[in-house]
Amino acid sequence: MLNMIQFGRPTALPPLLIVHGLYGSARNWGVIAKRLSETRQVFTVDLRNHGQSDWFDSHTYDDLAGDLAQVTTHIGPPIDVLGHSMGGKAAMVLALSHPELVNRLVVADIAPVTYGHSQIEFIKAMKAVDLSRVTRRSEAEAQLGDLGVEPALQSFFTQSLDVPEKRWRLNLDALADQMPHIMSFPETAGTYTGPTLFLSGATSDYVTPEHRPRIKALFPNARFAKIPGAGHWLHAEKPREFVAALSTFLS
């Protein structure tokens, strides 16, 4: 089963499962999870090929949704689910394939569509870091900077670096091989009729008006909201506003 971190104790509200995006981890969501755990129990997970979870050659959304279904069953369904970016797609496939497991769904800055861009350049940058010369994360960040990675992403990527073991806690080879699956969204005949919030950054172009017909076809009870001044990393850029919007919807 996926590696999980638990925050808080059970309350009258359903537990919340938080699913990170590509190159992320359960630890990335610690601050958000702690704030939300004041009113409910919260779990964050490492998806396969990330963090402390197992590595596999396959990384499709059917794989990810199957992993999340196992976790959800372990926690005790139905639960609320929040997913960001790749994790949002995985959460959507979970709700579409196992609607009985999901009480409410929040999708953070992603749509159920195939995107034309790729994230492969970041895998190339991480693989280019000479880990034999790294004794602290700042040294890896400096190397990433020399490779053209912006400062915010340098810090984000190195959260998945095991400095003592001189290894990435990311299965970079598998993620590179499976990138076409990660950028896509599987065809499905299912629908999820539960309450759904598509929460986006106002300056992000990941969820556009053109995506709404596809979203409403799969999630007929979807609502839409934007956080002013936030981009794709809305939870990191505007954490207070993100938590406020999330708490309002889930309550």
Side-chain angles (χ1 to χ4, degrees), residues 145-248:
D146 292 341
L147 293 164
V149 178
E150 62 183 89
L153 290 179
Q154 296 168 22
S155 176
F156 172 65
F157 293 150
T158 56
Q159 289 183 52
S160 292
L161 180 60
D162 186 339
V163 175
E165 295 296 325
K166 299 189 181 300
R167 60 182 290 270
W168 293 99
R169 293 195 184 98
L170 298 165
N171 188 350
L172 296 175
D173 289 336
L175 294 174
D177 178 71
Q178 298 286 290
M179 191 61 68
H181 292 298
I182 295 170
M183 293 296 104
S184 70
F185 192 82
E187 290 297 325
T188 176
T191 59
Y192 174 71
T193 58
T196 306
L197 175 65
F198 280 77
L199 183 60
S200 305
T203 65
S204 171
D205 61 358
Y206 274 72
V207 182
T208 68
E210 290 74 23
H211 295 149
R212 290 201 176 192
R214 173 63 170 164
I215 291 171
K216 293 295 282 187
L218 296 175
F219 305 94
N221 288 318
R223 305 178 191 175
F224 300 87
K226 290 183 179 293
I227 295 180
H232 183 59
W233 304 95
L234 64 173
H235 60 289
E237 297 168 16
K238 299 287 184 178
R240 292 178 183 271
E241 294 86 345
F242 183 83
V243 169
L246 195 64
S247 298
T248 298

Side-chain angles (χ1 to χ4, degrees), residues 7-228:
F7 300 83
R9 297 180 179 180
T11 70
L13 295 173
L16 172 65
L17 177 65
I18 299 178
V19 190
H20 65 79
L22 183 62
Y23 311 134
S25 71
R27 294 174 58 199
N28 296 153
W29 285 82
V31 173
I32 299 292
K34 286 178 182 177
R35 291 181 181 178
L36 294 169
S37 68
E38 294 175 2
T39 58
R40 69 178 68 229
Q41 191 170 42
V42 179
F43 297 87
T44 61
V45 293
D46 290 328
L47 290 172
R48 62 169 56 199
N49 297 317
H50 292 73
Q52 302 291 344
S53 288
D54 292 337
W55 287 12
F56 298 90
D57 291 335
S58 181
H59 196 91
T60 69
Y61 285 111
D62 287 336
D63 294 330
L64 301 184
D67 295 340
L68 293 177
Q70 186 179 30
V71 168
T72 303
T73 301
H74 173 77
I75 294 171
I79 67 172
D80 296 334
V81 181
L82 158 66
H84 172 249
S85 198
M86 179 187 73
K89 285 187 173 183
M92 284 189 274
V93 176
L94 170 68
L96 292 168
S97 56
H98 299 283
E100 74 282 357
L101 300 180
V102 181
N103 179 60
R104 285 175 180 261
L105 175 66
V106 180
V107 181
D109 212 67
I110 201 74
V113 299
T114 296
Y115 289 87
H117 64 272
S118 172
Q119 304 290 340
I120 199 74
E121 70 272 18
F122 298 123
I123 290 180
K124 292 179 179 178
M126 283 184 272
K127 293 183 75 170
V129 173
D130 183 356
L131 296 177
S132 68
R133 298 192 293 113
V134 172
T135 59
R136 55 178 65 91
R137 286 200 175 101
S138 60
E139 294 170 349
E141 291 174 8
Q143 288 192 49
L144 288 170
D146 292 341
L147 293 164
V149 178
E150 62 183 89
L153 290 179
Q154 296 168 22
S155 176
F156 172 65
F157 293 150
T158 56
Q159 289 183 52
S160 292
L161 180 60
D162 186 339
V163 175
E165 295 296 325
K166 299 189 181 300
R167 60 182 290 270
W168 293 99
R169 293 195 184 98
L170 298 165
N171 188 350
L172 296 175
D173 289 336
L175 294 174
D177 178 71
Q178 298 286 290
M179 191 61 68
H181 292 298
I182 295 170
M183 293 296 104
S184 70
F185 192 82
E187 290 297 325
T188 176
T191 59
Y192 174 71
T193 58
T196 306
L197 175 65
F198 280 77
L199 183 60
S200 305
T203 65
S204 171
D205 61 358
Y206 274 72
V207 182
T208 68
E210 290 74 23
H211 295 149
R212 290 201 176 192
R214 173 63 170 164
I215 291 171
K216 293 295 282 187
L218 296 175
F219 305 94
N221 288 318
R223 305 178 191 175
F224 300 87
K226 290 183 179 293
I227 295 180

